[in-house]
Amino acid sequence: MPTESTSTRAPSGARSLEHPDRADIRLADVLHALADPMRLRIVRVLAAAEDELNCADIELPVSKSTCTHHFRVLREHGVIHQLYRGTAKMNGLRRDDLEELFPGLVDSVLRAADLQAGRLGEE
């Protein structure tokens, strides 16, 4: 039986990226994606944004290819959605999907990350 996809679909003819359906997102995969400091930084920025952000809008102290890797891991593990708008790859946090599957997880992780950043003077 097919599962309903909650991921954003690209318009016909546009480049699209593979996203897991909500039903296929697993806690271990989400936690793995969030365990990396660069990926956690991306999620914190996306959570604070009012809208989707272009990859280039999120500054990371790593190479472009490493940034691409981190965004791909987050997408493939169901933490973010990505879609192309023209040549820009836009990113958004899959907060609704994650909240439905793992209530309170995203808010708890973000709160803990903020506390850690304050404790370590990283803000």
Side-chain angles (χ1 to χ4, degrees):
M1 175 180 210
T3 59
E4 180 179 326
S5 174
T6 57
S7 61
T8 306
R9 299 285 183 217
S12 179
R15 291 188 291 175
S16 64
L17 299 159
E18 292 293 320
H19 295 82
D21 289 335
R22 177 187 286 184
D24 295 329
I25 298 172
R26 300 291 179 253
L27 180 59
D29 293 337
V30 171
L31 293 174
H32 167 77
L34 295 173
D36 182 89
M38 290 299 114
R39 293 193 291 265
L40 185 57
R41 182 186 291 194
I42 292 168
V43 170
R44 289 179 72 204
V45 171
L46 290 175
E50 293 182 20
D51 203 0
E52 295 170 334
L53 296 176
N54 185 315
C55 292
D57 293 334
I58 303 174
E59 294 184 34
L60 298 174
V62 295
S63 69
K64 185 175 178 179
S65 63
T66 301
C67 287
T68 300
H69 165 75
H70 287 308
F71 280 102
R72 181 179 53 79
V73 169
L74 289 167
R75 175 177 45 83
E76 290 178 349
H77 288 66
V79 178
I80 67 171
H81 67 265
Q82 293 184 302
L83 66 141
Y84 282 100
R85 288 214 182 97
T87 59
K89 192 186 289 183
M90 304 303 292
N91 304 277
L93 184 61
R94 290 181 68 175
R95 186 182 286 272
D96 291 343
D97 289 337
L98 295 171
E99 186 61 28
E100 176 71 26
L101 293 167
F102 316 112
L105 176 68
V106 172
D107 289 335
S108 293
V109 168
L110 292 171
R111 191 170 34 257
D114 289 344
L115 288 170
Q116 175 178 280
R119 189 179 75 242
L120 300 176
E122 295 174 346
E123 291 197 272

